[in-house]
Amino acid sequence: GQQVMQIPQYQHVQEGEDFTTYCNSSTTLSNIQWYKQRPGGHPVFLIQLVKSGEVKKQKRLTFQFGEAKKNSSLHITATQTTDVGTYFCASGAGSYQLTFGKGTKLSVIP
Amino acid sequence: DSGVTQTPKHLITATGQRVTLRCSPRSGDLSVYWYQQSLDQGLQFLIQYYNGEERAKGNILERFSAQQFPDLHSELNLSSLELGDSALYFCASSVEGGRNSPLHFGNGTRLTVT
């Protein structure tokens, strides 16, 4: 599967601040999926991006797929304590298996 | 509730022992995946099955084996357990098992090897 690198590994933000996590690959990705894992929970599928330059929004969350399909980002506007968790990107170009990034662990300080 | 059922929730066992983790996929999903998550680590892909057949293999140790049965449930067998095998083991399922299929994860089995 494709190797995807996620940065940062950890992010601490004050409630109300914005947050962004990035997912990068050295090769072209066929798709990118984003998952959220709450503390003590299991990963939950958020969204999938397939097209070059694609942008999708879910309330305060904005997902982007780069023009070259080698990177993606997840941006959260005005974080809330309910946003706490680890955000993973995953891709499976050229294979059946999904390879997950190591995740970005988000802490929100009330 | 994802619809994926994993049992047991917790397992505590000694080094050298063998355990079996069980997973029932969401109704209608044909593909089952196994992932290992160690403390503060990402999700390491172990193996994938589709409709009873092995479809993809990741970094699965030779001491580990899995299978998917005709009723589509899956079992992951871990033998000759070592301390380093302590981790959270997730099962996930998807409709068709292709790279564009979103995964639905179970709650995981937390394995502790002492």
Side-chain angles (χ1 to χ4, degrees):
Chain A
Q2 293 291 302
Q3 292 291 328
V4 287
M5 306 297 292
Q6 260 188 277
I7 54 171
Q9 190 174 358
Y10 301 95
Q11 185 81 57
H12 305 275
V13 300
Q14 203 75 36
E15 188 173 16
E17 291 182 339
D18 292 357
F19 159 77
T20 305
T21 174
Y22 300 90
C23 188
N24 301 307
S25 172
S26 58
T27 58
T28 303
L29 303 170
S30 63
N31 68 328
I32 196 92
Q33 295 182 4
W34 285 94
Y35 293 78
K36 176 185 178 181
Q37 184 177 19
R38 293 181 187 273
H42 59 272
V44 175
F45 173 76
L46 295 176
I47 210 158
Q48 175 167 255
L49 305 171
V50 178
K51 299 177 184 176
S52 168
E54 190 170 12
V55 178
K56 287 188 178 180
K57 292 190 176 184
Q58 288 179 352
K59 298 182 180 178
R60 294 178 296 102
L61 277 60
T62 302
F63 304 84
Q64 291 190 334
F65 203 6
E67 293 290 341
K69 300 182 74 173
K70 290 185 177 182
N71 55 71
S72 179
S73 65
L74 158 57
H75 179 82
I76 302 178
T77 303
T79 55
Q80 300 174 359
T81 54
T82 53
D83 296 324
V84 164
T86 302
Y87 293 85
F88 293 98
C89 64
S91 186
S95 67
Y96 293 112
Q97 68 190 70
L98 270 180
T99 298
F100 283 75
K102 291 195 180 297
T104 296
K105 191 172 183 177
L106 172 64
S107 300
V108 178
I109 306 162
Chain B
D1 182 14
S2 67
V4 178
T5 304
Q6 284 189 252
T7 56
K9 286 187 179 180
H10 302 278
L11 258 180
I12 301 175
T13 189
T15 54
Q17 295 298 306
R18 172 190 168 95
V19 296
T20 298
L21 283 54
R22 195 177 191 278
C23 169
S24 293
R26 279 191 332 163
S27 176
D29 285 359
L30 297 178
S31 194
V32 168
Y33 306 71
W34 286 98
Y35 283 85
Q36 180 193 57
Q37 186 174 46
S38 301
L39 194 63
D40 283 339
Q41 292 295 310
L43 293 153
Q44 298 296 318
F45 171 71
L46 296 178
I47 199 162
Q48 179 199 358
Y49 285 85
Y50 176 79
N51 206 20
E53 299 290 325
E54 182 183 304
R55 176 168 267 189
K57 216 167 187 176
N59 298 322
I60 187 166
L61 300 172
E62 285 191 12
R63 300 183 286 107
F64 296 0
S65 65
Q67 61 183 120
Q68 187 179 28
F69 294 86
D71 67 352
L72 301 179
H73 91 271
S74 178
E75 292 181 357
L76 177 66
N77 300 297
L78 314 176
S79 62
S80 302
L81 285 167
E82 302 175 359
L83 295 177
D85 297 327
S86 296
L88 195 50
Y89 290 84
F90 283 110
C91 168
S93 71
S94 69
V95 174
E96 55 187 41
R99 60 176 180 251
N100 287 342
S101 297
L103 299 189
H104 302 272
F105 284 80
N107 289 330
T109 293
R110 182 168 295 284
L111 173 66
T112 303
V113 182
T114 62

